[in-house]
Amino acid sequence: SHPPDADLLATFTIMVQRHAGLVQRACRRQVGAADADDAAQATFLVLLAARPPGAAIGAARRPQADP
């Protein structure tokens, strides 16, 4: 059984909120400032598509460690 779409959307939102800055900085270093936004968005979409739905929810609900 797969989680409801609302749970997946909430999970995706949490993942983006937690990690957007890190992903954005990494993309900026790899592709430059002009393409960093597109690369960061693509990174999250690939991550979400590659994970089984339940795994994404588990990952998003784990507490984030302070850097």
Side-chain angles (χ1 to χ4, degrees):
S1 87
H2 295 290
D5 289 344
D7 287 348
L8 292 175
L9 180 59
T11 297
F12 182 73
T13 301
I14 291 167
M15 290 172 66
V16 171
Q17 289 171 344
R18 284 186 184 171
H19 304 292
L22 174 69
V23 172
Q24 182 74 24
R25 288 188 298 276
C27 289
R28 194 175 302 122
R29 284 192 299 273
Q30 294 297 314
V31 300
D35 294 321
D37 286 340
D38 289 338
Q41 290 176 11
T43 299
F44 283 110
L45 291 176
V46 167
L47 174 65
L48 187 60
R51 300 188 91 165
I57 289 174
R61 289 185 177 160
R62 282 196 292 273
Q64 180 182 14
D66 291 334

